């Protein structure tokens, strides 16, 4: 192990406990440590989120997009682990989903058969894996009482578009065929994901309708739905709030390749939507570059006659799905998302 790797390992061991201790302080103390409130576009950033961002800057934690690819992927998992903590779950087991790795989360006292959500992780189609989103999936499954089958799709630049898109659709087809073996009720299958995973989930929902596959619900957490990204939120929040313009540009360059940014398989904003699509719960964050495109997609679903509920958490940033082990506000938001998932598949 090199000196740098040893320093990184030590930093990782310190980072999680430090975050938990600092973000466990009373809100008034956190406010002193965080500094003056950040207000933008009529929204005030959550104090614990502002403090988290400040601590990252003080620790000189650089974004995954600034690192060599392998280091960026390792950093993604490391950061998520520090923010996600250790989350209780009834049972977890690895499940090959066709030719892709998968992980099945079974909540405590989950009925058999019961509802199941096929989940695709975020990470700009370049970063992220089953480990980076493990804590968030554990939390969502246990709080909702819904089984979650997380699927690890191929990443760019090694496998550009449409690799992830095709993997996601194949994974859902496989799930439908093997629902009973997973302990799932075939009439209560859902699909979901965050960021790039939200993009894949939305694509799966569209394809499921075309193929006549059963799908009861889609959970889209700050989904990437328009790769053109000509929005006010992309201009307002592309620096200083975790998800940066450099990260998004890297994702586009690595994954999109020569494909048109308006290809409807890539950008659902340009897809023809069927009113028979599964009901959707679309979640956005106020301080997120992807906020406006996610909300525009929710309106597009509604205009097409699809049952949809849009929820903006105005004080949150992109990535709050993973922040369930430290602080209070992101965890509370994910608790609300879990309650919606539970109600939708009850």
């Amino acid at each position: 192990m090199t000196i740098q790797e040893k320093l990184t390992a030590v930093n990782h061991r310190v980072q999680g406990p430090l975050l938990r201790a600092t973000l466990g302080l009373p809100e008034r103390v956190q406010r002193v440590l965080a500094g003056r409130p950040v207000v933008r576009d009529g929204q005030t950033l959550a104090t614990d989120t502002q403090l988290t961002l400040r601590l990252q800057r003080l620790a000189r934690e650089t974004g995954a997009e600034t690192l060599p690819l392998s280091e960026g992927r390792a950093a993604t998992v490391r950061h998520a682990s520090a923010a996600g903590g250790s989350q209780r779950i009834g049972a977890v087991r690895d499940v090959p989903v066709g030719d892709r790795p998968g992980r099945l989360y079974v909540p405590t006292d989950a009925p058999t058969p019961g509802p199941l959500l096929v989940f695709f992780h975020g990470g700009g189609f370049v970063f992220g894996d089953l480990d980076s989103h493990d804590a968030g999936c554990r939390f969502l499954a246990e709080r909702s009482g819904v089984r979650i089958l997380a699927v690890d799709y191929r990443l760019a630049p090694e496998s550009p578009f449409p690799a992830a898109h095709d993997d996601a659709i194949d994974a859902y087809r496989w799930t439908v065929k093997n629902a009973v073996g997973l302990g799932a009720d075939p009439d209560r299958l859902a699909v979901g994901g965050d960021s790039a995973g939200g993009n894949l989930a939305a694509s799966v929902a569209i394809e499921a309708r075309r193929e006549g596959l059963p799908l009861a619900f889609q959970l889209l957490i700050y989904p990437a739905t328009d790769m053109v990204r000509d929005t006010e939120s992309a201009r307002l929040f592309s620096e200083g709030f975790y998800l940066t313009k450099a990260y998004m540009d890297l994702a586009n360059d690595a994954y999109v390749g020569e494909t048109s940014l308006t290809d409807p398989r890539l950008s659902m904003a340009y897809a023809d939507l069927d009113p028979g699509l599964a009901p959707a719960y679309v979640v956005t964050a106020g301080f997120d570059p992807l906020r406006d495109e996610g909300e525009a997609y929710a309106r597009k679903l509604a205009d097409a006659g699809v049952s949809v509920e849009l929820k903006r958490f105005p004080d949150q940033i992109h990535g709050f799905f993973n922040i369930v082990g430290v602080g209070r506000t992101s965890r509370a938001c994910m608790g609300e998302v879990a309650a919606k998932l539970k109600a939708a598949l009850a």
Side-chain angles (χ1 to χ4, degrees), residues 237-290:
F237 306 114
S238 61
E239 299 297 335
F241 299 102
Y242 180 68
L243 180 61
T244 64
K245 184 178 185 301
Y247 190 109
M248 293 183 286
D249 288 346
L250 172 64
N252 274 22
D253 291 344
Y255 182 60
V256 177
E258 300 301 317
T259 306
S260 169
L261 293 176
T262 59
D263 186 314
R265 298 171 300 163
L266 184 66
S267 295
M268 289 85 251
Y270 306 96
D272 293 326
L273 302 181
D274 189 300
L277 285 173
Y281 183 56
V282 181
V283 177
T284 63
F287 286 77
D288 182 358
L290 303 190

Side-chain angles (χ1 to χ4, degrees), residues 20-197:
R20 286 192 293 275
T22 306
L23 297 179
L25 294 170
E27 199 276 341
R28 64 181 183 279
V29 179
Q30 290 185 29
R31 171 50 62 203
V32 173
L33 296 174
R36 297 179 60 183
V38 175
V39 179
R40 193 168 295 185
D41 200 24
Q43 308 166 129
T44 302
L45 186 64
T47 304
D48 55 356
T49 301
Q50 182 183 342
L51 181 54
T52 300
L53 293 172
R54 186 172 192 181
L55 290 172
Q56 287 178 340
R57 290 193 295 271
L58 290 173
R60 297 183 179 179
E61 281 282 0
T62 57
E65 72 276 15
T66 68
L67 301 169
L69 186 59
S70 62
E71 293 179 27
R73 286 174 174 166
T76 297
V77 175
R78 187 172 68 251
H79 296 162
S81 176
S86 179
Q87 300 299 318
R88 184 172 66 93
I89 185 68
V92 180
R93 62 184 173 95
D94 291 336
V95 176
V97 180
D99 62 355
R100 302 306 308 161
R103 188 174 293 170
L104 181 65
Y105 300 85
V106 182
T108 305
D109 300 325
T112 302
L116 180 143
L117 171 77
V118 180
F119 182 86
F120 304 104
H121 64 78
F125 306 102
V126 175
F127 306 101
D129 57 20
L130 297 179
D131 291 333
S132 67
H133 285 61
D134 182 73
C137 286
R138 286 170 178 258
F139 181 91
L140 184 60
E142 190 68 16
R143 281 293 191 95
S144 67
V146 174
R147 285 174 172 80
I148 291 180
L149 178 62
V151 179
D152 202 10
Y153 51 88
R154 287 173 291 172
L155 297 177
E158 298 92 335
S159 301
F161 179 83
H165 170 272
D166 292 347
D167 286 351
I169 293 172
D170 286 345
Y172 190 70
R173 291 181 184 127
W174 182 92
T175 302
V176 171
K177 292 179 181 177
N178 294 275
V180 174
L182 296 168
D185 178 351
D187 293 326
R188 288 189 288 168
L189 297 178
V191 66
D194 71 308
S195 194

